[in-house]
Amino acid sequence: MSRIGKAPIAIPAGVSVDVKENVVTVKGPKGTLTQTINPELDVKIEDGHVTLTRPSDDREHRAQHGLYRALIHNMVVGVSEGYRKEMELVGVGYRATATGQVLELSLGFSHAIFIKLPPEVKVEAKSERNKNPLIILESGDKQLLGQVCAKIRSLRKPEPYKGKGIKFVGEVIRRKSGKSAGAK
């Protein structure tokens, strides 16, 4: 049996999980999330835990067992605690400002880039003296947050020679030495 799929999901206080047909709805203090799951999988809610069971050991059922358990767990954590990602702008003159749901980025191009974020994602931009600017994104939806972060990062990926670009806080960029180190 799938190690991830067979683990029960604990439902914290203040969170309710409903299953109607093949739609799982999770409500909590940070919002409401829904996920359509495979109708062949069986979702049970018993004494504060959600468990998933699969009908057979087919390859497809094994794969979906772990997948949907992880998605439901991410929804439960998202509506109770939420998710947070911090991104760092490394480069001279790189700046970020947030006004409402619009993020303005100056990334060394001839023009500023404006990104309109979905209403489920909260954004904050911090700029301190002698430190790289930070973009802090928070949401209850882990998938949406990851997609927004990937879109922002794709505007200026970190490059391996100087390390300039948009990276996650704590991410290690593999550095290359450049052409002067290779010539002898």
Side-chain angles (χ1 to χ4, degrees):
M1 201 169 186
S2 167
R3 282 190 229 164
I4 293 174
K6 69 181 176 183
I9 304 166
I11 302 173
V15 175
S16 66
V17 180
D18 295 325
V19 181
K20 288 204 170 97
E21 294 165 18
N22 58 341
V23 177
V24 177
T25 305
V26 182
K27 293 180 184 166
K30 300 238 178 194
T32 303
L33 296 172
T34 59
Q35 176 69 46
T36 305
I37 64 165
N38 186 344
E40 295 174 352
L41 294 176
D42 188 34
V43 180
K44 289 187 182 134
I45 302 166
E46 299 168 336
D47 50 84
H49 290 320
V50 178
T51 53
L52 273 83
T53 53
R54 61 179 184 236
S56 70
D57 276 346
D58 290 348
R59 185 181 180 99
E60 190 70 22
H61 289 151
R62 285 193 320 241
Q64 291 184 349
H65 190 205
L67 167 75
Y68 287 116
R69 188 261 176 212
L71 291 176
I72 294 170
H73 178 263
N74 288 344
M75 292 187 337
V76 169
V77 172
V79 298
S80 60
E81 301 166 24
Y83 290 99
R84 176 185 173 104
K85 295 265 190 180
E86 294 183 1
M87 303 179 88
E88 186 177 9
L89 278 65
V90 181
V92 177
Y94 287 12
R95 286 189 309 275
T97 54
T99 48
Q101 289 301 103
V102 177
L103 181 65
E104 179 185 353
L105 299 169
S106 298
L107 301 173
F109 297 116
S110 61
H111 58 283
I113 300 168
F114 294 91
I115 301 172
K116 183 155 178 26
L117 299 172
E120 297 89 9
V121 178
K122 292 183 183 77
V123 65
E124 180 185 347
K126 285 186 180 177
S127 294
E128 292 182 30
R129 194 166 172 83
N130 297 329
K131 288 189 179 177
N132 292 328
L134 287 177
I135 302 169
I136 301 164
L137 299 161
E138 292 182 33
S139 179
D141 192 344
K142 189 175 185 179
Q143 291 178 2
L144 180 66
L145 184 65
Q147 195 171 5
V148 169
C149 288
K151 177 68 179 164
I152 292 171
R153 183 185 162 100
S154 72
L155 298 171
R156 186 70 99 172
K157 287 187 179 167
E159 52 92 22
Y161 298 102
K162 291 183 179 179
K164 291 170 55 172
I166 302 174
K167 67 180 192 110
F168 293 103
V169 171
E171 180 184 8
V172 178
I173 306 297
R174 255 184 67 203
R175 302 292 293 269
K176 293 183 179 178
S177 57
K179 64 181 184 179
S180 62
K184 284 192 176 184

